[in-house]
Amino acid sequence: MNENRNETRIKTAQIKNLTKIYGNKGFQTKVLKGIDLTVYKGDFIAVMGPSGSGKTTLLNILATIDKPTQGTVILDGQDITKASNKELSRLRRDKIGFVFQDYNLLDTMTLQDNMGLPLSLSGVPGRECIHRVNKMAAMFGLTEHLQKYPYQLSGGQKQRGATGRALITEPEIIFADEPTGALDSRSGRELLECLRMVNDSGQATILMVTHDPFCASYAKDVCMLRDGLITCRVSRGRERKEFYDRIMDLQASVGGDLTWE
């Protein structure tokens, strides 16, 4: 994508010179080494890299779960590295959606209540909560499962429910951490189709961390992370299969001796 077109697009998130160091002086590990990345509204970006490359650290910093050692992180026009805890809580509630590998559904609540929980916590009236949950459930094929508890659902149903919960507040960006990691191939494919659908419809900007080339091929762009740096960014053409083949070639080119998670 050329720079002129990018100039007309809305920036959802931007990081500049992002550095993250763990440990004390003399025993330090530099996980991120001055990363620059811009996420535009409507992007669907997959971040890939070998174990220890800093993928999850990058996602956690962008999602306000962790803080950088150095650098700037702009989210919703605000430098979150300088935000107060109260401001960060507001951002998480109103602007960010999370999809994790382990679902994070509450066992004592029905799927309907789990999906509507973010709205309830924000003070949305009950009738509106139910309306929006029903709309989201229809989108993800979960209407007939709304009164079930998580233990009564398959892994794919739970993950689709968790994704619906992440989208229900209409956040600026969805952060997905290995969203298909605990799913079988069919359930994983169904979830990825749902993510692509909501992204293509303009309902979500997505940043996803994954080790799986098949999963990454559903994104619009793939960023390769190695040794704390983004080494390249590739964009999908028309065909997902062709994009998958390119990702496989790229993964091999970063070094066959590397251990991928």
Side-chain angles (χ1 to χ4, degrees), residues 102-120:
D102 57 359
Y103 321 128
N104 285 350
L105 297 178
L106 299 176
D107 292 333
T108 57
M109 298 175 67
T110 64
L111 180 60
Q112 176 178 276
D113 291 339
N114 266 288
M115 291 177 68
L117 183 60
L119 298 177
S120 297

Side-chain angles (χ1 to χ4, degrees), residues 3-225:
E3 293 184 11
N4 290 333
R5 183 179 174 187
N6 281 342
E7 288 176 1
T8 66
R9 302 177 68 198
I10 299 172
K11 293 178 182 178
T12 297
Q14 186 174 27
I15 57 177
K16 297 178 180 179
N17 193 33
L18 189 67
T19 301
K20 181 64 179 181
I21 301 172
Y22 289 107
N24 300 317
K25 208 167 187 180
F27 299 94
Q28 294 183 337
T29 300
K30 198 170 187 179
V31 180
L32 301 177
K33 304 174 181 178
I35 288 178
D36 296 322
L37 177 67
T38 300
V39 182
Y40 293 94
K41 183 176 177 61
D43 276 352
F44 186 171
I45 299 173
V47 178
M48 299 186 70
S51 179
S53 61
K55 302 187 301 296
T56 297
T57 299
L58 174 61
L59 182 140
N60 286 343
I61 290 174
L62 273 167
T64 76
I65 296 171
D66 199 357
K67 293 186 176 182
T69 305
Q70 181 181 326
T72 303
V73 183
I74 306 296
L75 188 62
D76 191 39
Q78 181 178 3
D79 185 351
I80 63 174
T81 63
K82 300 177 181 178
S84 66
N85 289 333
K86 185 176 181 179
E87 290 171 325
L88 290 176
S89 294
R90 180 190 63 80
L91 278 169
R92 294 187 198 106
R93 184 192 67 201
D94 299 337
K95 303 295 182 178
I96 297 173
F98 300 95
V99 181
F100 298 106
Q101 182 175 333
D102 57 359
Y103 321 128
N104 285 350
L105 297 178
L106 299 176
D107 292 333
T108 57
M109 298 175 67
T110 64
L111 180 60
Q112 176 178 276
D113 291 339
N114 266 288
M115 291 177 68
L117 183 60
L119 298 177
S120 297
L121 294 175
S122 297
V124 176
R127 183 174 294 180
E128 176 65 13
C129 284
I130 292 173
H131 171 72
R132 289 167 70 172
V133 167
N134 287 339
K135 182 179 178 181
M136 197 62 63
M139 181 184 299
F140 286 96
L142 294 169
T143 300
E144 64 185 53
H145 303 292
L146 284 175
Q147 299 309 315
K148 294 180 180 179
Y149 290 87
Y151 72 88
Q152 297 173 303
L153 301 170
S154 69
Q157 289 163 350
K158 285 187 281 190
Q159 191 62 298
R160 295 202 306 276
T163 304
R165 180 186 59 189
L167 284 164
I168 205 162
T169 58
E170 300 177 351
E172 293 289 326
I173 188 167
I174 296 290
F175 293 108
D177 189 4
E178 298 284 4
T180 63
L183 303 179
D184 59 51
S185 58
R186 179 179 176 181
S187 297
R189 191 179 301 109
E190 290 175 349
L191 175 66
L192 292 166
E193 291 288 356
C194 287
L195 288 174
R196 183 165 66 176
M197 174 187 67
V198 297
N199 176 255
D200 286 345
S201 66
Q203 296 180 62
T205 300
I206 302 172
L207 182 74
M208 174 176 68
V209 163
T210 182
H211 71 281
D212 182 2
F214 180 80
C215 183
S217 70
Y218 278 80
K220 292 176 179 174
D221 295 271
V222 171
C223 291
M224 288 291 182
L225 198 61

